[in-house]
Amino acid sequence: MYPITAFGRVAATPARLHIQPPPPTPICPRPRSVIISNPTVSKAEAAAKKFNVPNWTGDDMEVINHPDVEAVWICSPSSFHADQIKACAAAGKHVFCEKPIATDLPETIEAINACKIADVKLMTALQRRFDPNFARVREAITNNEIGSPIVAKLCSRDPAPPPFSYVEGSGGIFKDMAVHDLDMSRFLMGEEPEAILAYGACMIDKEIEKLPGAEAYDTASVIIKYPGGKHAFIDVCRQAPYGYDQRAEVLGTKGMIQTDNMYPNTARVYTNSFTGNADMPYDFFMSRYKEAYIRESEAFCKALVNDEPSPCSGEV
């Protein structure tokens, strides 16, 4: 048994309280959750009891410095990530961290370098890489099914805007939300971008307009130029009244591959007044990406047990 341990401080907002014990795998059949923290101790206690975690605390450093902890899952608000990653590295603990690593570039570099110097593994939770739909798009590219990529299109829309308290300090729509699409464009193209053009606006939640920089945007578009003239288009919005909407399309020299939006089921209704899906799309990211969250945790556990490179380290 390799006793993997978790968790870090989870955010106080209910939408971020999505922790679960690391899943058992053939390589690591008995991962063990040791302690959980939340600034509101009652929430830490409730989560600990729900997920059978034996210890809880209101202090994130008690998690990081716990003698039985070998790896920490950081699920805190974005503004805490860099400091908590560096604290884990200083304590010699491996890190699985929610995106983004930090809310600015210098802190991101510091956090990554801290883990390198301490020789601990860092994995960023960019779960779409582990989603079967997006993974199949990547497979079509790497297997040359559609030839060389020419254009990629990525769409990401949430059902409803998050509360003001979540947006404030999040780093803004590009770092907090579009980070998934920016990463996916790199993942699909297999190269680093040469140029990026981004535009943002506040179209939905006027309360956030007073926030600084990109935190004032709830809608954004991005064009990315890759080597050889390849490019990607991204559109993101914090509100889609019809439900959670995540799609990808890649045009290659030999063909195209695309994913449809995901629904809870494939049932369709046919009447004299309506033809279409029986139910609305998923309304919560945890429902939509449930399998991807399990797969990324399994990948992190596998990297620890086999002493392999982290599959999503913040650099690759």
Side-chain angles (χ1 to χ4, degrees):
M1 180 186 75
Y2 191 97
I4 309 298
T5 59
F7 303 89
R9 182 166 69 179
V10 295
T13 51
R16 299 294 287 171
L17 193 59
H18 63 265
I19 57 165
Q20 62 180 357
T25 69
I27 293 173
C28 184
R30 294 181 62 193
R32 182 165 56 91
S33 301
V34 172
I35 184 171
I36 179 173
S37 73
N38 187 290
T40 305
V41 178
S42 60
K43 292 183 178 181
E45 180 181 6
K49 290 179 177 179
K50 179 176 181 179
F51 295 105
N52 298 315
V53 180
N55 304 293
W56 60 87
T57 177
D59 184 355
D60 55 349
M61 293 307 297
E62 288 188 25
V63 172
I64 293 169
N65 292 320
H66 194 288
D68 293 336
V69 166
E70 295 180 78
V72 178
W73 265 246
I74 296 176
C75 308
S76 56
S78 301
S79 57
F80 293 93
H81 290 179
D83 286 341
Q84 289 175 333
I85 290 171
K86 288 184 283 187
C88 288
K93 308 299 172 74
H94 302 292
V95 190
F96 180 99
C97 184
E98 279 294 328
K99 56 77 193 164
I101 290 174
T103 55
D104 65 37
L105 184 58
E107 279 198 325
T108 300
I109 295 170
E110 282 183 16
I112 292 172
N113 286 340
C115 291
K116 283 182 176 179
I117 293 169
D119 195 26
V120 298
K121 298 185 191 304
L122 170 63
M123 179 164 171
T124 312
L126 292 163
Q127 85 283 352
R128 291 186 199 175
R129 294 191 184 198
F130 301 90
D131 175 72
N133 290 321
F134 286 99
R136 185 62 182 88
V137 176
R138 164 78 170 177
E139 182 182 332
I141 295 170
T142 56
N143 290 346
N144 199 35
E145 293 178 58
I146 62 167
S148 299
I150 300 171
V151 177
K153 295 181 181 179
L154 295 157
C155 167
S156 182
R157 300 167 188 166
D158 287 350
F164 180 91
S165 59
Y166 174 84
V167 178
E168 186 177 23
S170 69
I173 194 167
F174 299 109
K175 298 173 184 176
D176 169 64
M177 183 179 177
V179 61
H180 287 291
D181 306 276
L182 293 165
D183 174 71
M184 185 51 57
S185 75
R186 291 175 61 242
F187 188 60
L188 296 178
M189 291 299 191
E191 296 185 271
E192 296 297 333
E194 292 182 335
I196 300 176
L197 172 65
Y199 170 79
C202 184
M203 305 297 295
I204 309 296
D205 183 8
K206 296 301 180 180
E207 184 183 11
I208 68 171
E209 280 188 309
K210 59 187 177 185
L211 292 174
E215 289 185 2
Y217 304 152
D218 54 27
T219 306
S221 298
V222 183
I223 302 175
I224 307 172
K225 178 180 178 291
Y226 284 93
K230 297 180 292 185
H231 49 283
F233 297 93
I234 295 171
D235 81 78
V236 294
C237 185
R238 290 197 186 273
Q239 178 173 290
Y242 53 88
Y244 204 56
D245 190 356
Q246 312 283 297
R247 286 171 281 136
E249 174 185 302
V250 179
L251 173 67
T253 54
K254 292 166 53 178
M256 181 188 76
I257 185 167
Q258 64 180 189
T259 63
D260 290 328
N261 197 23
M262 288 281 289
Y263 288 76
N265 56 67
T266 60
R268 293 175 63 85
V269 173
Y270 298 85
T271 70
N272 62 359
S273 60
F274 175 78
T275 297
N277 291 86
D279 296 299
M280 298 290 282
Y282 286 109
D283 61 357
F284 189 42
F285 64 92
M286 276 303 296
S287 302
R288 166 62 182 84
Y289 287 107
K290 182 178 180 180
E291 184 176 355
Y293 284 121
I294 294 172
R295 287 186 175 194
E296 69 176 359
S297 290
E298 289 176 339
F300 183 56
C301 291
K302 181 175 180 289
L304 295 182
V305 173
N306 293 340
D307 194 21
E308 299 171 347
S310 168
C312 192
S313 66
E315 294 183 287
V316 297

